[in-house]
Amino acid sequence: MTARKKKTPARKRAAAPRTRLAPDERRAQLLRCALSAFAERGIRRTVHADVAKRAECAVSTVFLYFPTRDDLVDAVLGEVERFYIELAEQVHASQAPATEVLLEHGRRYRASIDSHPDHAYVLLNWSANVRSRTWPRYLALVERMTESHRKTIERGITEGTLDPRLDAESAARIIVGYAHMSTQMKLSDMEPERASHFGRQVVYSMLTPVEDAPAA
């Protein structure tokens, strides 16, 4: 009898309820879990139950914060947008020479794949969802990234550090397009120096006016 009495409090302590999170904290936790689920399962396949499993909570809790699957998708993509837009804004706010800003964006982007792999996986998957309702939103994000690069290239032309014959928009679009390939290379475990060298090659080649390119 004595032994049983000693074990009872231990069982009660083990079954004690978890600390209740404040609404903002719970939503942030669920969003992190949603990012993880979307990164692993993809935008089309992930459902509320996948998020609940990672958060170790009831599925109804996920529905409380994200009432529909569209709400869940929009929240995850919104976080991905926020992350990459803030990264671009921070880099392109620099008044360093335009070429250095463009190279720094590439370095910061590649580093972010290591620090925030879920964001990178979701972005890569998003870029392949051409027939999804999310496709126009992805294109809008690409346009925003392109605009950041275009302005930096045009600043370089104005300041005289870049050739005035450059087509700023075309160069910007190609550099932004390189991000997709950069993500693939990084996630395939390509040697960092090789990926970095390729990124520098892309930037410098895009800053060469078409008039100077070899004839086709």
Side-chain angles (χ1 to χ4, degrees):
M1 291 296 292
T2 304
R4 290 177 183 172
K5 287 181 180 179
K6 289 182 178 180
K7 291 182 178 179
T8 300
R11 291 198 188 99
K12 288 183 178 180
R13 286 195 297 273
R18 294 188 181 91
T19 302
R20 185 182 296 276
L21 296 175
D24 288 348
E25 295 175 333
R26 173 63 78 181
R27 189 183 190 282
Q29 179 214 25
L30 293 175
L31 185 55
R32 289 193 298 271
C33 292
L35 267 168
S36 174
F38 275 68
E40 180 179 329
R41 293 179 53 78
I43 295 173
R44 293 184 178 180
R45 295 178 58 197
T46 305
V47 295
H48 286 68
D50 298 315
V51 180
K53 182 177 180 180
R54 284 169 169 76
E56 298 183 343
C57 68
V59 177
S60 59
T61 300
V62 185
F63 274 102
L64 179 64
Y65 288 86
F66 308 102
T68 68
R69 188 173 182 283
D70 283 350
D71 291 330
L72 185 62
V73 171
D74 289 341
V76 169
L77 298 187
E79 165 58 21
V80 172
E81 286 172 330
R82 180 204 62 77
F83 179 78
Y84 288 110
I85 288 171
E86 286 186 2
L87 189 155
E89 289 178 345
Q90 291 171 3
V91 174
H92 289 273
S94 170
Q95 292 305 304
T99 302
E100 283 305 310
V101 173
L102 298 172
L103 290 172
E104 177 62 14
H105 195 167
R107 287 191 288 267
R108 293 276 297 275
Y109 179 82
R110 288 192 297 275
S112 77
I113 299 174
D114 287 329
S115 63
H116 294 76
D118 288 343
H119 289 71
Y121 275 109
V122 172
L123 183 66
L124 193 61
N125 180 254
W126 192 5
S127 71
N129 278 257
V130 180
R131 297 184 181 275
S132 168
R133 72 171 183 86
T134 65
W135 179 243
R137 188 171 177 177
Y138 173 77
L139 294 180
L141 177 60
V142 170
E143 287 301 312
R144 189 153 181 177
M145 296 298 100
T146 300
E147 183 68 3
S148 295
H149 285 75
R150 182 187 65 78
K151 288 181 178 179
T152 294
I153 294 171
E154 288 184 344
R155 175 172 65 81
I157 293 173
T158 300
E159 294 174 348
T161 58
L162 293 178
D163 196 307
R165 295 171 296 168
L166 272 175
D167 182 339
E169 182 175 348
S170 295
R173 289 191 181 281
I174 294 174
I175 292 173
V176 171
Y178 153 72
H180 182 87
M181 185 178 297
S182 176
T183 305
Q184 291 180 321
M185 290 189 297
K186 189 74 173 178
L187 295 178
S188 66
D189 295 327
M190 175 179 282
E191 295 177 5
E193 183 51 40
R194 287 185 62 194
S196 178
H197 175 76
F198 183 78
R200 292 194 300 271
Q201 186 68 33
V202 169
V203 170
Y204 282 120
S205 64
M206 287 307 100
L207 298 183
T208 300
V210 173
E211 290 86 343
D212 293 344

